[in-house]
Amino acid sequence: MRQSGRPTIKDLASRAGVSKTAVSFAFNSPERISKETYQKIMDIAKELGYVPDPVARGLARRKTQCIGILLPQSIAYVFQNPYITELLRGVGEACEKENYSILVLSPLEGIFTHAVYNAVVDGVLILGAAGDSDVHTVCRQRGLPYVTIDAGFRDDCVNIGIDDEKAAYELAKLLLEAGHRRICVCMLQPLSDTLEASGSSETIRNRCKGIERAMDEYGVDKSQVEYMEIGTSCDSSLDAAHSLLSREKPPTGILCMADVQAYGFYHAVQELGLSIPRDLSIVTFDNLPQSNLLHPKPSAVNQPGFQKGCRAAEELFKLLSAQESQSTMLDCQILNIGSVAPPST
């Protein structure tokens, strides 16, 4: 059976006895027509089964009413980290005020920049890119406004973040001042810049600088400090914790790049009949709401994830409306709650 073609804006305008402009106003700017006309158009649209074509509408307006948020790894991987949820909540709040939607982008074919090539959005928020990443060049070649989050501060783009080097320096000092020397730093998964090579994010580079600066000040033998990539899932951190704590000389201090990593260590310590901070000291980044359920609460950098997301989206909307936009370094504090004590061995 042959189906009839879908109704057009011309069909709807003719049936309602109004202009195509009035129909366009009904779907895009209803405040520009009377309530009676709006309701009449909506009733007939429902009767005809008319639905505006978002692609055609976007082409006509040269706007999608959508911004993208580019994630540093695959969606399935990244959303294991509840910190990302806090960021998206902030982005979402700003988007709702501007009547914008969000398109979540992740690396295509395993490459960070590829997601930008075909993204049908008005602008993009980029999470965690390094300052020398090709993603900056790709956005500029496309003429695509963008704001980075946690990507380091530089003169040629707008970034929202914290002073990661200083925060990591202070966090490492908590362990070093307590006397810890056998320390494991839990790293995040690297970005896939090309098919042949991966690179660390600007955030991780700066945090490592801060950690190494603290070690230099305390004269620490860096061979005693281990850097282990364990990702951002409870399962991966739980496996890593069991492996580390089963050694003949396990680390006495753990520095996590994300709260979700610390959760795995808390679980492992409980399973092994150990105690925090008596047997293991832990410091971490994020201070997520879920951390309130742990005892003792982890000593942490209080990262304002929600505020970061909201501010980044607000700055992007300024760029989209040709207003001046600027980078912002948000305040963060080290909350020394009680997960650090001198090493027992």
Side-chain angles (χ1 to χ4, degrees):
M1 180 177 179
R2 185 176 180 181
Q3 294 183 330
S4 58
R6 40 182 301 193
T8 66
I9 188 173
K10 182 178 179 180
D11 298 330
L12 177 53
S14 177
R15 181 74 172 271
V18 299
S19 66
K20 290 193 292 184
T21 300
V23 174
S24 178
F25 285 161
F27 285 96
N28 299 304
S29 305
E31 72 279 0
R32 301 182 68 174
I33 57 177
S34 68
K35 292 182 180 179
E36 293 76 13
T37 300
Y38 169 79
Q39 193 58 53
K40 180 179 181 181
I41 292 171
M42 289 296 109
D43 288 343
I44 295 175
K46 184 177 181 180
E47 178 185 334
L48 293 177
Y50 172 81
V51 178
D53 184 341
V55 175
R57 183 167 55 177
L59 288 172
R61 299 170 62 195
R62 301 187 67 82
K63 289 181 67 177
T64 66
Q65 287 296 116
C66 178
I67 64 170
I69 178 163
L70 177 56
L71 304 175
Q73 290 96 17
S74 71
I75 292 173
Y77 175 84
V78 167
F79 276 97
Q80 294 180 94
N81 186 355
Y83 171 67
I84 301 300
T85 304
E86 286 296 296
L87 276 176
L88 281 176
R89 285 202 315 115
V91 174
E93 179 168 283
C95 285
E96 287 178 357
K97 292 178 182 178
E98 300 290 334
N99 294 316
Y100 263 73
S101 57
I102 306 170
L103 178 65
V104 177
L105 307 168
S106 65
L108 291 179
E109 300 175 350
I111 302 176
F112 195 46
T113 54
H114 278 201
V116 180
Y117 288 127
N118 299 312
V120 185
V121 292
D122 295 334
V124 64
L125 302 174
I126 302 173
L127 179 59
D132 56 0
S133 171
D134 287 342
V135 73
H136 299 276
T137 302
V138 172
C139 286
R140 292 177 188 131
Q141 288 173 340
R142 279 201 55 185
L144 188 66
Y146 73 99
V147 170
T148 60
I149 303 173
D150 294 337
F153 293 90
R154 40 191 283 160
D155 294 334
D156 57 353
C157 71
V158 177
N159 179 69
I160 309 299
I162 63 172
D163 189 337
D164 280 288
E165 181 176 348
K166 180 182 178 183
Y169 166 77
E170 297 291 345
L171 204 57
K173 278 180 61 177
L174 288 180
L175 294 174
L176 296 170
E177 286 178 351
H180 294 276
R181 296 299 181 265
R182 296 202 309 271
I183 297 171
C184 179
V185 179
C186 300
M187 301 291 285
L188 303 177
Q189 188 183 61
L191 305 178
S192 295
D193 290 328
T194 70
L195 289 175
E196 291 79 26
S198 295
S200 63
S201 70
E202 196 78 14
T203 298
I204 298 305
R205 292 181 191 177
N206 288 332
R207 290 181 185 180
C208 287
K209 289 179 184 177
I211 293 167
E212 290 175 2
R213 179 158 62 93
M215 291 176 187
D216 288 338
E217 285 189 11
Y218 281 80
V220 174
D221 179 358
K222 293 182 181 179
S223 67
Q224 291 186 289
V225 178
E226 181 176 0
Y227 290 82
M228 176 180 287
E229 181 192 319
I230 68 170
T232 52
S233 74
C234 287
D235 287 343
S236 61
S237 58
L238 180 59
D239 290 342
H242 275 289
S243 174
L244 287 167
L245 298 178
S246 298
R247 294 177 179 176
E248 183 178 348
K249 282 192 174 183
T252 62
I254 302 292
L255 192 156
C256 297
M257 294 290 181
D259 268 356
V260 67
Q261 296 172 327
Y263 300 161
F265 278 88
Y266 267 75
H267 192 181
V269 164
Q270 184 179 34
E271 289 182 339
L272 295 170
L274 303 175
S275 174
I276 295 173
R278 185 191 66 201
D279 302 302
L280 184 69
S281 291
I282 295 180
V283 297
T284 183
F285 276 83
D286 293 343
N287 189 42
L288 296 171
Q290 295 91 323
S291 298
N292 292 321
L293 301 175
L294 300 179
H295 182 76
K297 188 175 177 182
S299 303
V301 174
N302 184 37
Q303 277 212 97
F306 177 87
Q307 188 180 356
K308 279 185 185 178
C310 189
R311 179 66 64 83
E314 289 172 349
E315 294 302 317
L316 180 58
F317 289 132
K318 289 180 183 178
L319 291 176
L320 293 176
S321 58
Q323 299 179 45
E324 185 176 347
S325 180
Q326 62 183 8
S327 296
T328 304
M329 182 179 289
L330 300 174
D331 291 333
C332 66
Q333 304 83 35
I334 307 293
L335 303 178
N336 191 0
I337 306 300
S339 64
V340 176
S344 57
T345 57

